[in-house]
Every structure is written in structure tokens, then in C-alpha cells.
């Protein structure tokens, strides 16, 4: 439902039909903002692809979930919109008008993801977290 509804909301901003994987990657690398509605799950590969690409992740509010790593920090690593999608266009317009804020949040998400995914400290933190869960 949310994916179809978001496609309607975004009609004025961008095409939302299916594209090939190669076209998707090209679009992703050129995008300033990437939307990631709930549909296949709250957390999905598109979120991680967005962090890797350096675009800003615009997603329904994730404050109902506790994740590890904590990649979903509204205003720091992604921008939340309400689940009813009523503020999506407003958020997009605001972010496109404020390059500094958009880039800062996108970098925050990219840097946090990169730290967890590709540093020794990030890998150690994951192991410690996993071991802690097993001991619980």
C-alpha cells in the first residue's frame, strides 16, 4: 500500500516505474534524496544502498524500532516522514532548498553505515553486541 501511495505522491518529482538494475544504480548515484517506503519490510537493502551512494534517505518514521546498528536517527542519518505520507512533498521541497542540511544528514548516514560496515572498530562492536545478546 505505502509503495503505491508514495508513487502517487511523487508523480510531480520523479518517475516511479520499474527500471533495470543498471538504470536503478545510475539513478541512485545521481540522486540527492531516495525514498524507502515500507512495503517489503521496514528495513531493506535500499536503505543501505542509499547510505553507500551518499544520497539522503527519506523514510517513514522509524522511531518504533530499536535497531543495531542504530542507523535511523531522524535529522542525523535520515529524514523521517509520517506514515500517512502527508508531509513527503513538504520534506522533499525543504531538503532540496537546503543543500547544507541535506548533505550533512546524508553524510551522517553514510559515515555511520561505513563505520559499522567497514572498520575494525565497527566489526568489533557488532561482535560484542552479538555476544552480549547470546549471554542474555
Amino acid at each position: 500500500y505505502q509503495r503505491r501511495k508514495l508513487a502517487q505522491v511523487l508523480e510531480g518529482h520523479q518517475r516511479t516505474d520499474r527500471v533495470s538494475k543498471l538504470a536503478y544504480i545510475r539513478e541512485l548515484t545521481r540522486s540527492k534524496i531516495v525514498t524507502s517506503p515500507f512495503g517489503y519490510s521496514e528495513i531493506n537493502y535500499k536503505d543501505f544502498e542509499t547510505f553507500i551512494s551518499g544520497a539522503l534517505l527519506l523514510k517513514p518514521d522509524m522511531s518504533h524500532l530499536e535497531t543495531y546498528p542504530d542507523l535511523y536517527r531522524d535529522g542525523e542519518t535520515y529524514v523521517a516522514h509520517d506514515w500517512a505520507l502527508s508531509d513527503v512533498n513538504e520534506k522533499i521541497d525543504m531538503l532540496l532548498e537546503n543543500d547544507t542540511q541535506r548533505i550533512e544528514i546524508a553524510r551522517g548516514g553514510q559515515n555511520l553505515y561505513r563505520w559499522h560496515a567497514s572498520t575494525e572498530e565497527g566489526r568489533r562492536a557488532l561482535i560484542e553486541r552479538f555476544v552480549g545478546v547470546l549471554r542474555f
Side-chain angles (χ1 to χ4, degrees):
Y1 168 79
Q2 199 172 60
R3 287 182 295 124
R4 286 190 299 271
K5 181 74 173 166
L6 184 60
Q8 293 171 350
V9 170
L10 294 177
E11 280 180 3
H13 286 285
Q14 182 69 339
R15 58 183 274 201
T16 58
D17 55 325
R18 289 192 174 269
V19 296
S20 70
K21 186 68 171 177
L22 182 58
Y24 168 72
I25 292 169
R26 268 193 232 119
E27 284 186 21
L28 188 62
T29 60
R30 291 191 310 250
S31 295
K32 294 178 180 181
I33 300 169
V34 174
T35 59
S36 184
F38 298 160
Y40 295 115
S41 67
E42 283 116 329
I43 299 170
N44 60 69
Y45 289 121
K46 189 175 193 180
D47 299 354
F48 309 134
E49 292 165 344
T50 302
F51 291 135
I52 291 167
S53 76
L56 180 129
L57 179 63
L58 179 64
K59 187 170 184 69
D61 182 15
M62 295 286 285
S63 63
H64 66 292
L65 287 179
E66 181 180 326
T67 65
Y68 187 85
D70 181 17
L71 299 174
Y72 302 97
R73 301 175 186 172
D74 187 22
E76 293 179 43
T77 60
Y78 88 113
V79 172
H81 62 75
D82 68 51
W83 287 24
L85 309 173
S86 64
D87 61 347
V88 169
N89 281 316
E90 175 186 323
K91 298 253 175 146
I92 290 171
D93 292 342
M94 180 269 299
L95 291 164
L96 290 176
E97 291 171 7
N98 191 336
D99 288 340
T100 302
Q101 180 185 21
R102 186 187 74 250
I103 292 167
E104 183 177 312
I105 296 168
R107 280 189 184 144
Q110 185 178 49
N111 289 339
L112 185 60
Y113 179 84
R114 184 180 294 141
W115 186 85
H116 281 282
S118 62
T119 68
E120 185 64 31
E121 296 89 359
R123 286 189 288 273
R124 268 198 203 116
L126 174 62
I127 291 167
E128 289 172 13
R129 173 77 176 209
F130 188 71
V131 169
V133 169
L134 290 176
R135 287 186 181 146
F136 179 68

